Amino acid sequence: MSPTVRVGETATLVSSLVDQLTQRLAEDSAPARLVVGLVGAPGSGKSTIAADLEARLKEAGIFAGLVPMDGFHLSSAVLDELGRHDRKGAPDTFDVEGYLATLDRVRADGAQQVLVPVYRRDLHEAVAAGGVVSGTGVVLTEGNYLALETRGWGAVRERIDLLIHIDVPEEVLVVRLINRHEDFGRNALDAGHWVRTVDLPNARLIATSVHRCDEVWREPDDESGSDEDADDADAGGAEDADDEASARS
């Protein structure tokens, strides 16, 4: 079954989603927690949308917590040991089993409090127990590989009740990502090379799994060229030269 495509301003889509989730949680058969995932390419704006959605869910009184995929980055020391530091942010540079285990704990009966790791940009490392999921309601999770079928990621999809792909045209991603890399200190030539050789291949990998999502969100065509806050566009795993290896995230 193909995902439902929703076209509209992000604020409108977020508002509609909050109404939808409020109704689902009010049903007699509703679980204590619903896990909602946001997935998309680097620069698609996942983190900005997640922050907006979190704020709206809190206003509605149905926010239980955030489980960021980036909290499961392997440490720099482990990446060095495995010889993967120059690919930080690639699918095999995360603790996928740890992510799955945390989602299982979040979904378990009883809605127990769950401490979750977060990614600290200032440290360029994941930090244990940096966040908490508590009470009932919606648990948000956000990252690049939530719909990926390969490399150990396939089981993530089974643990997400509603998965939304943020779709942005490739030509828009290119502009956003070059600007972002330049903000990180790369010159225009290096930024363009990184986008061509790292970010776009990663974006195309992510696009192969869109069919596993429940919804696809797109902005109207006349808005698609906007570079508006592309990220913050993605906490998505990227940070500076160390984490720009992670910019693929």
Side-chain angles (χ1 to χ4, degrees):
M1 185 174 178
S2 299
T4 299
V5 177
R6 303 191 187 280
V7 180
E9 300 295 336
T10 299
T12 301
L13 296 174
V14 166
S15 179
S16 176
L17 176 60
V18 171
D19 290 343
Q20 174 189 341
L21 294 171
T22 300
Q23 292 174 9
R24 287 182 63 172
L25 287 166
E27 295 173 359
D28 292 338
S29 59
R33 290 173 177 158
L34 286 172
V35 179
V36 176
L38 299 177
V39 64
S44 60
K46 300 183 299 295
S47 297
T48 300
I49 294 173
D52 291 345
L53 180 54
E54 177 179 341
R56 292 297 306 274
L57 291 170
K58 286 179 176 176
E59 289 176 6
I62 57 170
F63 181 72
L66 176 68
V67 182
M69 187 197 83
D70 276 356
F72 297 87
H73 268 292
L74 299 180
S75 70
S76 294
V78 170
L79 291 173
D80 286 338
E81 183 177 341
L82 296 174
R84 301 176 191 172
H85 203 154
D86 62 339
R87 297 188 294 104
K88 186 175 183 179
D92 62 346
T93 63
F94 291 84
D95 175 16
V96 184
E97 292 300 324
Y99 183 43
L100 292 171
T102 300
L103 291 175
D104 284 340
R105 291 178 62 203
V106 163
R107 296 175 60 87
D109 292 340
Q112 297 297 312
Q113 183 182 88
V114 180
L115 298 175
V116 300
V118 299
Y119 194 88
R120 286 275 301 272
R121 289 189 177 192
D122 55 333
L123 300 176
H124 313 306
E125 295 280 7
V127 175
V132 60
V133 174
S134 180
T136 60
V138 176
V139 176
L140 289 181
T141 187
E142 171 260 312
N144 290 349
Y145 305 123
L146 277 54
L148 200 64
E149 297 179 86
T150 59
R151 310 182 194 189
W153 289 89
V156 172
R157 179 63 187 94
E158 304 164 9
R159 290 157 170 82
I160 297 176
D161 298 296
L162 178 67
L163 184 57
I164 300 167
H165 177 87
I166 310 302
D167 187 42
V168 175
E170 189 170 289
E171 61 272 20
V172 177
L173 290 177
V174 169
V175 174
R176 290 179 174 182
L177 289 165
I178 288 175
N179 288 341
R180 186 168 79 178
H181 289 306
E182 289 180 341
D183 288 342
F184 280 129
R186 291 181 180 271
N187 63 42
L189 186 62
D190 287 344
H193 176 74
W194 188 273
V195 170
R196 287 192 305 273
T197 60
V198 176
D199 289 325
L200 287 184
N202 190 36
R204 291 163 185 162
L205 172 65
I206 294 165
T208 64
S209 300
V210 174
H211 65 281
R212 303 189 76 210
C213 299
D214 298 298
E215 297 184 3
V216 174
W217 284 11
R218 294 177 183 147
E219 290 190 344
D221 288 344
D222 61 350
E223 296 291 328
S224 64
S226 172
D227 187 48
E228 189 177 0
D229 290 342
D231 234 33
D232 276 5
D234 270 310
E239 3 283 319
D240 54 51
D242 178 38
D243 294 276
E244 271 201 62
S246 188
R248 63 182 76 204
S249 253

